[in-house]
Amino acid sequence: MLPTLGDFRRDQLAIAALFSFLGFQYATWASRLPALKDRFDLGGTEVGLLLMAAGVGAAASFPLVAPLMRRLGARRLALWSALALVAVLPVLAAAGSYPLALLVILLDGMAVGCLNVAMNAQGAALESHYGRAAMAQLHATFSGGSLGGALLASGVNTVTHSVTAHFAVAAGLGVLLLAGSRPRVLTDAPAPPAGEERPAGGGKKGLRSLTGASRTALVLGCAMVFGTVVEGAMNDWSALYLTEETGASGRLAPLGIAVVSVMMVAARLLGDGWRNRWGDARMVRVGSTMAGTGLALALLAGGTWPALVGFACVGLGMATVTPCLYVAAAAEGPGALALVAAMGTTGLLAGPALIGFVAGHSDLTTGMAVVAASAVLVAVCSAWVRFKEREGEPVPR
């Protein structure tokens, strides 16, 4: 029986639940950083190390993910790593010391790395199986999950300040999300056709680095790092830039992250149609160039309103970049996807710390200029990648 649009939508919804869960889980524990800071009497450096531990864990997951994908498959790896992330919440709530909290967040990062690879492999399999673009909308649900986690944290905090109670509620909701997704999550991830190996970079078949990754995978990984540095830095530094560099009021400062988030979610909801029309290569190159040049011009102009316009360019331009890079990495095989996902997660978590280091040695305008340059470097890296265009007609109604 030919697959129908209804089949596609049901499978898409199940995989979207995994993306939403990951955003929800991250926002849940990150939203309680102030409470953890007070519990362990941490300074800024210790909080930074706590955040960095998640990035270290994600990077450490790289050697494990590809063998686990081959042994378990994307479906089982996604579900098992998601269950590990559910377990992290009550364990973190019960952590009695800062070193133990560091260890828990390190393990959280490793599970995030595994789930990130598996769920993006699922998204690529969905596109391959049905011949329809879906990855941008899946990434939009990650943002939706983050919003849901933040709203839950705010709601629970009005009732009780107990981190244990909050994380228990969040863990229960996470289990419900996973239970809803389990029956429809796809069994197999896409694999290159038998006997065929895509040329890396300039077409030199079999060119390998010391890590065993193809040159294309390494270039995709670099593009992903630069792209996620942009996303992470905009999330963490946009409000401070508005207050410290443009003199924006406390009422206007939150609009920085709001503008980026709204533009990114809206563009991701529409992005799969754009990918069908213009292709992944153009979406990555034009989008990242728009983000970098728009932000750079805003920094040169100065002021609150130019900054908000520049932030909107970042949200709009970068929205489909990460989804397209994941699809290209999945086409290179599980090892490439694992490398690119690990580098991306590391960039997302380490990017804000990098911008803080630059700002500490100069100013935040210079730090944001690094963000603009990172966006342009995504376009430069993508010039060496051959993006695979989708084949086939959409599934029938």
Side-chain angles (χ1 to χ4, degrees):
M1 181 183 295
L2 290 175
T4 66
L5 182 61
D7 293 329
F8 169 76
R9 293 301 182 199
R10 284 187 288 271
D11 288 345
Q12 183 185 32
L13 186 61
I15 298 168
L18 295 175
F19 280 80
S20 180
F21 167 82
L22 185 58
F24 176 81
Q25 194 270 356
Y26 174 76
T28 294
W29 73 260
S31 67
R32 300 314 295 263
L33 276 174
L36 295 174
K37 180 176 182 292
D38 291 342
R39 178 197 295 181
F40 300 124
D41 192 24
L42 306 180
T45 301
E46 289 85 0
V47 173
L49 286 174
L50 198 63
L51 291 169
M52 188 64 71
V56 172
S61 72
F62 164 58
L64 304 174
V65 175
L68 287 173
M69 280 276 285
R70 286 191 291 267
R71 184 178 182 84
L72 300 176
R75 181 177 187 273
R76 283 195 291 172
L77 179 60
L79 294 174
W80 281 110
S81 55
L83 287 173
L85 289 171
V86 169
V88 159
L89 295 176
V91 173
L92 181 60
S97 65
Y98 176 63
L100 182 56
L102 277 175
L103 176 61
V104 173
I105 295 301
L106 180 73
L107 295 175
D108 177 272
M110 295 181 69
V112 167
C114 291
L115 178 56
N116 192 32
V117 172
M119 72 185 191
N120 277 286
Q122 287 279 308
L126 182 73
E127 292 197 349
S128 177
H129 181 66
Y130 288 101
R132 298 179 66 97
M135 193 69 89
Q137 290 184 357
L138 292 175
H139 279 256
T141 63
F142 173 87
S143 302
S146 298
L147 176 61
L151 292 176
L152 177 68
S154 178
V156 171
N157 208 38
T158 61
V159 178
T160 175
H161 296 303
S162 169
V163 174
T164 301
H166 174 203
F167 284 3
V169 172
L173 292 175
V175 169
L176 290 177
L177 264 178
L178 297 178
S181 70
R182 182 179 178 275
R184 298 290 305 191
V185 174
L186 301 180
T187 301
D188 298 315
E196 178 181 328
E197 183 179 355
R198 289 187 59 190
K204 294 182 180 179
K205 185 175 180 180
L207 182 61
R208 300 283 158 181
S209 72
L210 292 176
T211 65
S214 70
R215 184 170 65 181
T216 299
L218 293 173
V219 173
L220 281 167
C222 290
M224 186 67 81
V225 167
F226 291 128
T228 53
V229 163
V230 174
E231 291 189 31
M234 293 305 298
N235 286 337
D236 287 9
W237 291 104
S238 56
L240 281 174
Y241 173 79
L242 289 174
T243 55
E244 294 183 6
E245 302 295 324
T246 74
S249 66
R251 179 174 58 86
L252 287 177
L255 289 180
I257 182 58
V259 165
V260 176
S261 299
V262 169
M263 292 299 292
M264 184 165 287
V265 171
R268 281 179 171 172
L269 290 173
L270 299 171
D272 290 318
W274 298 343
R275 291 172 60 208
N276 283 330
R277 183 173 182 179
W278 293 304
D280 287 6
R282 186 176 298 178
M283 293 303 300
V284 172
R285 293 163 194 168
V286 173
S288 54
T289 300
M290 175 198 298
T293 54
L295 181 58
L297 290 173
L299 297 175
L300 290 173
T304 300
W305 295 108
L308 291 175
V309 173
F311 294 172
C313 290
V314 173
L316 178 61
M318 298 302 294
T320 58
V321 167
T322 302
C324 291
L325 293 177
Y326 273 120
V327 170
E332 295 290 317
L337 181 57
L339 173 65
V340 171
M343 292 177 72
T345 305
T346 302
L348 184 67
L349 297 170
L354 170 65
I355 302 309
F357 177 82
V358 173
H361 287 76
S362 53
D363 55 42
L364 196 46
T365 298
T366 304
M368 295 301 282
V370 173
V371 177
S374 297
V376 174
L377 285 171
V378 174
V380 173
C381 291
S382 69
W384 277 272
V385 177
R386 189 184 71 181
F387 288 88
K388 181 180 179 181
E389 300 302 327
R390 284 162 302 286
E391 300 174 355
E393 298 297 325
V395 297
R397 295 178 181 275

